[in-house]
Amino acid sequence: MCWKLVRLNFGQNLAHFGEVGIGLEQTSERVRSDTLFSAWISAYAKLFGKEAVGQLLKGYEEHPELAFRVSSTFIYRRKGNRYTYYLPRPLVFPKGYPGSSEEDDLEFAKVYKKLNYLPLKIWHRWYQTEIGFTEDDREELITKAQAGNEKDIDRNGDLYKAGTFDYSKFFKFDLVPKVAVDRITRATNFYHTGFVKFHREPEKDEDAGLYFLISFPHSFDRTLEKNLKISLDLLGEEGIGGERSTGAGRFEAEWLELDNLWTDILKPSNLINPHYCLISLYWEKSLPDGLLRKSACYEILARGGWIASPFSGRQLRRQSIRMFAEGSVFPILPQGELADVRPKDFKNNHSIYRSGVSVSLPINTSE
């Protein structure tokens, strides 16, 4: 596989990333893989036409091993020339995680469970190396639980230095007041819309944004990569997510080669009990045998939303499906496929796809 890392820099732009069951008042801080794929393919269709995008999607049905795969987006933070990338914490304990019943373990477990995302360095050590979770990690988490405020935290520990407790500092949510005016009665309706804004301090040479991984098979058409780059640039100009008419969701994309740490994460050595952790959503019509064995640990999300077909000009609610979430762990490598979520009354002669094509990373699991 040929892997690339793509960073999305939103600058000062706000973004609105809605989820099923969340009103306009709330937003997520990131975009999941199915939403990214749909928006990207829509931009691809605008540039290269119905036939070209049809051929691209047809490849997922006829030759899925030759199709490109995209992960969900996750937070990155830049400070000078140093980047910190975050990955979802797998839903299994890392090797070395204590199972004792000491009094302080209750506080320790509460702090651990709040770490939904881990910096790359800690993620790699906990889940892909022989070191795993150490006694020093345990003590640092206990100290974090007992700290009255930020000043009391142990700043010399590996977890703190890696940015393990800083995830929520790199974005913030704001409510923006808006007014809707009825076209007939001219009656007004006051409401709020939630937006996410990513951390940015030019005076300190710091900022944050989103990134994702994309993989291509070894033998793939370089023209496809070029066209995908052009399409992503168009998507960046139009914006991703909701409230795009107000300029929300606009970004600049940067394609990068992977560094040595990422290479080690994609191809770890000496895994004792290899399992696979999702970093994208995953759906398959018929789940493979052995996927849900006892060692599997997973979360399921309902995914719905609206379609915006560039060829029909219609907006309809697509069919809802249930997908495995990022951080889910399986004993065999999940592949995934596209789900046709056309509304029942959608009469146009093309499918509406939601991507369940998965991207996962190999990990060790605790005994």
Side-chain angles (χ1 to χ4, degrees), residues 25-220:
E25 295 82 4
Q26 297 186 24
T27 177
S28 174
E29 77 276 11
R30 62 186 187 86
V31 180
R32 298 187 188 270
S33 58
D34 59 342
T35 300
L36 173 63
F37 183 86
S38 296
W40 201 348
I41 291 298
S42 181
Y44 190 97
K46 291 178 182 179
L47 285 175
F48 301 106
K50 185 176 181 178
E51 183 177 346
V53 77
Q55 286 295 114
L56 180 63
L57 295 174
K58 188 177 180 181
Y60 283 90
E61 299 178 358
E62 297 181 348
H63 303 286
E65 71 281 0
L66 300 179
F68 72 92
R69 295 168 179 263
V70 295
S71 74
S72 295
T73 64
F74 304 103
I75 294 290
Y76 78 83
R77 179 255 186 136
R78 181 189 67 85
K79 186 173 183 179
N81 295 324
R82 296 181 58 185
Y83 287 84
T84 302
Y85 299 98
Y86 287 84
L87 281 173
R89 176 175 58 83
L91 297 179
V92 294
F93 293 129
K95 179 182 178 181
Y97 186 89
S100 64
S101 58
E102 299 179 14
E103 293 181 359
D104 57 11
D105 274 352
L106 180 60
E107 289 184 308
F108 156 69
K110 286 181 178 179
V111 175
Y112 172 84
K113 290 178 180 179
K114 290 180 180 179
L115 300 176
N116 295 320
Y117 300 92
L118 299 172
L120 212 58
K121 178 182 176 182
I122 301 302
W123 195 98
H124 177 57
R125 173 162 68 83
W126 278 9
Y127 289 97
Q128 290 186 322
T129 71
E130 289 292 325
I131 301 173
F133 188 95
T134 66
E135 181 64 23
D136 288 341
D137 294 333
R138 177 177 176 273
E139 293 297 328
E140 190 172 351
L141 290 179
I142 293 174
T143 302
K144 167 68 175 175
Q146 296 174 344
N149 52 57
E150 187 76 17
K151 296 180 180 180
D152 298 330
I153 297 176
D154 179 11
R155 299 173 180 270
N156 296 315
D158 286 345
L159 300 184
Y160 181 88
K161 290 181 178 179
T164 306
F165 309 119
D166 295 338
Y167 177 81
S168 61
K169 297 179 181 179
F170 304 134
F171 60 90
K172 66 177 182 178
F173 299 123
D174 288 325
L175 285 176
V176 176
K178 294 195 171 186
V179 176
V181 181
D182 189 283
R183 294 182 179 180
I184 299 176
T185 65
R186 312 304 296 173
T188 59
N189 180 34
F190 182 78
Y191 66 100
H192 287 86
T193 300
F195 289 92
V196 60
K197 184 174 183 180
F198 297 99
H199 174 78
R200 187 172 183 271
E201 290 190 68
E203 63 278 5
K204 295 184 179 180
D205 198 18
E206 294 182 6
D207 58 33
L210 298 176
Y211 80 94
F212 65 90
L213 298 180
I214 180 171
S215 69
F216 298 93
H218 283 299
S219 56
F220 72 97

Side-chain angles (χ1 to χ4, degrees), residues 19-20 41 63 90 150 201 216 257 272 274 344 349 358:
E19 298 278 356
V20 173
I41 291 298
H63 303 286
E150 187 76 17
E201 290 190 68
F216 298 93
E257 301 293 334
I272 299 174
K344 293 181 180 180
N349 60 352
S358 67

Side-chain angles (χ1 to χ4, degrees), residues 112-359:
Y112 172 84
K113 290 178 180 179
K114 290 180 180 179
L115 300 176
N116 295 320
Y117 300 92
L118 299 172
L120 212 58
K121 178 182 176 182
I122 301 302
W123 195 98
H124 177 57
R125 173 162 68 83
W126 278 9
Y127 289 97
Q128 290 186 322
T129 71
E130 289 292 325
I131 301 173
F133 188 95
T134 66
E135 181 64 23
D136 288 341
D137 294 333
R138 177 177 176 273
E139 293 297 328
E140 190 172 351
L141 290 179
I142 293 174
T143 302
K144 167 68 175 175
Q146 296 174 344
N149 52 57
E150 187 76 17
K151 296 180 180 180
D152 298 330
I153 297 176
D154 179 11
R155 299 173 180 270
N156 296 315
D158 286 345
L159 300 184
Y160 181 88
K161 290 181 178 179
T164 306
F165 309 119
D166 295 338
Y167 177 81
S168 61
K169 297 179 181 179
F170 304 134
F171 60 90
K172 66 177 182 178
F173 299 123
D174 288 325
L175 285 176
V176 176
K178 294 195 171 186
V179 176
V181 181
D182 189 283
R183 294 182 179 180
I184 299 176
T185 65
R186 312 304 296 173
T188 59
N189 180 34
F190 182 78
Y191 66 100
H192 287 86
T193 300
F195 289 92
V196 60
K197 184 174 183 180
F198 297 99
H199 174 78
R200 187 172 183 271
E201 290 190 68
E203 63 278 5
K204 295 184 179 180
D205 198 18
E206 294 182 6
D207 58 33
L210 298 176
Y211 80 94
F212 65 90
L213 298 180
I214 180 171
S215 69
F216 298 93
H218 283 299
S219 56
F220 72 97
D221 186 359
R222 293 287 177 179
T223 302
L224 172 61
E225 181 181 6
K226 178 182 177 181
N227 291 345
L228 286 174
K229 286 183 178 180
I230 296 172
S231 303
L232 190 62
D233 288 339
L234 173 61
L235 180 60
E237 293 176 3
E238 293 182 339
I240 188 170
E243 303 295 320
R244 295 189 300 276
S245 61
T246 62
R250 299 182 63 183
F251 61 83
E252 294 183 358
E254 182 181 10
W255 291 62
L256 302 161
E257 301 293 334
L258 300 185
D259 61 20
N260 292 335
L261 179 55
W262 272 114
T263 301
D264 291 341
I265 286 175
L266 292 172
K267 296 182 178 180
S269 59
N270 303 320
L271 292 185
I272 299 174
N273 186 24
H275 280 57
Y276 298 90
C277 175
L278 289 179
I279 58 171
S280 71
L281 297 183
Y282 163 59
W283 180 89
E284 208 161 349
K285 188 174 183 179
S286 299
L287 297 180
D289 293 338
L291 184 78
L292 301 183
R293 291 204 301 262
K294 186 177 180 180
S295 59
C297 191
Y298 52 88
E299 178 185 357
I300 296 178
L301 296 175
R303 303 294 291 165
W306 296 80
I307 68 169
S309 170
F311 307 116
S312 69
R314 300 178 64 194
Q315 283 193 330
L316 296 170
R317 183 171 290 279
R318 69 186 76 184
Q319 294 185 50
S320 178
I321 61 173
R322 297 172 69 82
M323 310 178 78
F324 292 98
E326 304 94 333
S328 297
V329 175
F330 302 105
I332 64 175
L333 180 64
Q335 295 296 331
E337 59 187 76
L338 299 181
D340 192 343
V341 293
R342 274 180 295 183
K344 293 181 180 180
D345 58 347
F346 188 73
K347 303 301 182 182
N348 292 72
N349 60 352
H350 69 84
S351 299
I352 301 295
Y353 288 113
R354 181 178 286 280
S355 176
V357 178
S358 67
V359 179

